[in-house]
Amino acid sequence: DQQVKQNSPSLSVQEGRISILNCDYTNSMFDYFLWYKKYPAEGPTFLISISSIKDKNEDGRFTVFLNKSAKHLSLHIVPSQPGDSAVYFCAASLNNDMRFGAGTRLTVKP
Amino acid sequence: GAGVSQTPSNKVTEKGKYVELRCDPISGHTALYWYRQSLGQGPEFLIYFQGTGAADDSGLPNDRFFAVRPEGSVSTLKIQRTERGDSAVYLCASSPTGGSYGYTFGSGTRLTVV
């Protein structure tokens, strides 16, 4: 039962443009959403999060949008940089139960 | 230590053997989590410790998997009678008190069962 889905396994964008990564979830009880970034041979590192009571959270080049009615969240990276190339995981949680999507591999081309 | 340390980084074992994977969390973090990541998948929850006790072990796939955290710091994930399907990266994370934020992941142990 996959409660968090990232339907795009990969995304390629040009340096300087916007990257938009999408995530859908099925459990309306989730109350906290997070994005993690993962480089090869490393563990996921926390990037940005949003509480279910908000619809937007911004941190520098990274903005997460939450649409609770659609059970959808997205991560916007602008401007994208080659160093942003990594696998991005969306996660949704309730208490200590955190579920991850399968990830989207972002490639930012110089 | 400065981060979450997992050892070994790589483990190759024969089918049917027993393995132990170690996680050394950030000092002072009371919550510790084990996840498993198979190829092309996101991390899948296995077990969560709060202190020495397993607060939630609902993600352990079967009784061949067991984890301990006897002194509330280092944790060991134990897999008996390994199967080829157990091959994955096993990730450990810790957080100061639990909850969904403040997770710090280790680099993982890549387990290959041949």
Side-chain angles (χ1 to χ4, degrees):
Chain A
D1 176 24
Q2 195 171 2
Q3 298 192 34
V4 179
K5 293 182 182 181
Q6 293 176 257
N7 291 320
S8 298
S10 63
L11 174 69
S12 181
V13 300
Q14 205 67 35
E15 180 179 8
R17 308 294 280 267
I18 185 171
S19 296
I20 300 177
L21 297 103
N22 293 302
C23 178
D24 297 291
Y25 61 95
T26 57
N27 187 348
S28 60
M29 298 299 290
F30 286 133
D31 61 2
Y32 204 73
F33 303 90
L34 309 93
W35 285 94
Y36 282 83
K37 178 179 179 180
K38 186 180 183 304
Y39 292 116
E42 295 183 10
T45 55
F46 170 76
L47 188 58
I48 192 169
S49 63
I50 188 167
S51 164
S52 61
I53 62 173
K54 295 187 174 182
D55 57 16
K56 178 182 175 181
N57 187 27
E58 189 173 353
D59 183 3
R61 297 186 296 114
F62 303 90
T63 303
V64 56
F65 295 92
L66 175 63
N67 182 335
K68 283 202 301 181
S69 61
K71 297 192 186 72
H72 178 85
L73 70 155
S74 61
L75 174 68
H76 292 209
I77 307 173
V78 56
S80 302
Q81 299 174 354
D84 296 330
S85 297
V87 177
Y88 289 78
F89 291 102
C90 165
S93 75
L94 175 62
N95 299 323
N96 287 294
D97 185 356
M98 184 179 292
R99 304 295 176 106
F100 286 82
T104 297
R105 180 177 300 278
L106 173 67
T107 303
V108 181
K109 297 180 178 179
Chain B
V4 177
S5 175
Q6 290 189 248
T7 54
S9 55
N10 278 284
K11 176 71 177 178
V12 180
T13 191
E14 291 182 349
K15 180 175 176 294
K17 298 286 189 183
Y18 167 82
V19 295
E20 290 190 352
L21 311 179
R22 175 187 167 110
C23 173
D24 201 337
I26 291 174
S27 178
H29 280 195
T30 61
L32 185 146
Y33 308 81
W34 283 100
Y35 284 80
R36 176 170 71 174
Q37 185 177 8
S38 301
L39 194 63
Q41 304 291 321
E44 174 191 8
F45 170 77
L46 296 177
I47 187 169
Y48 155 57
F49 286 91
Q50 185 61 257
T52 61
D56 182 354
D57 65 358
S58 61
L60 294 177
N62 51 59
D63 61 6
R64 295 187 298 105
F65 288 74
F66 190 70
V68 295
R69 195 186 186 199
E71 297 178 359
S73 55
V74 171
S75 176
T76 305
L77 178 66
K78 309 180 181 193
I79 311 173
Q80 298 177 322
R81 305 183 303 280
T82 52
E83 299 177 357
R84 292 197 177 90
D86 299 335
S87 297
V89 175
Y90 289 81
L91 293 163
C92 176
S94 69
S95 74
T97 57
S100 302
Y101 39 85
Y103 273 49
T104 301
F105 279 91
S107 298
T109 294
R110 180 175 296 279
L111 175 67
T112 304
V113 182
V114 298

